[in-house]
Amino acid sequence: MTKWKLGDRVMSFHHVPCGACFYCKNRLFSQCKQYKTTGLTGGSRRMAGAWGIRESDALVAARGIVALPANVTFEEATFIEPINTIVKAVQKARITAGETVLIAGCGPSGCNF
């Protein structure tokens, strides 16, 4: 059973960490064994994408999907994952006001900032 129904405005995480291991407790989610094997993208056991989630996929449905707030457009929602990646990188780098940084990359984050 899932709390989601057809027509709900949601976003899905690309991977789902366990939340209980050493890495999760230290917010190093990408090192979690479950994170590396459960999700919606390449490298996961299930690679069907968010639209391919089945009701039997209880872990992803329960912990890998969140409601999209009504005030966030679908266009804005496309930036949730890339912006999250940037925010985490800045936090881990401990960048402070006045420092100079170089952002390089050929993805949308590297090309637009």
Side-chain angles (χ1 to χ4, degrees):
M1 185 74 176
T2 179
K3 66 181 180 179
W4 307 110
K5 64 184 181 318
L6 189 62
D8 284 348
R9 290 173 33 94
V10 299
M11 66 153 288
S12 61
F13 300 121
H14 52 81
H15 294 287
V16 182
C18 75
C21 72
F22 168 85
Y23 298 109
C24 287
K25 288 178 181 175
N26 288 283
R27 301 189 52 78
L28 300 167
F29 303 112
S30 63
Q31 300 305 308
C32 169
K33 184 177 180 180
Q34 179 174 294
Y35 180 95
K36 293 179 179 186
T37 60
T38 306
L40 305 171
T41 62
S44 302
R45 286 179 280 191
R46 297 167 181 88
M47 297 187 290
W51 304 116
I53 295 173
R54 297 175 301 277
E55 191 167 334
S56 62
D57 215 343
L59 175 67
V60 175
R63 299 195 55 225
I65 298 175
V66 294
L68 188 61
N71 66 329
V72 175
T73 67
F74 288 122
E75 291 81 10
E76 292 168 333
T78 64
F79 289 97
I80 293 172
E81 192 278 333
I83 295 297
N84 179 59
T85 301
I86 294 167
V87 169
K88 287 191 299 187
V90 170
Q91 290 171 340
K92 286 183 182 247
R94 298 186 192 133
I95 298 169
T96 60
E99 290 184 308
T100 301
V101 299
L102 169 66
I103 300 173
C106 58
S109 302
C111 291
N112 293 311
F113 293 97

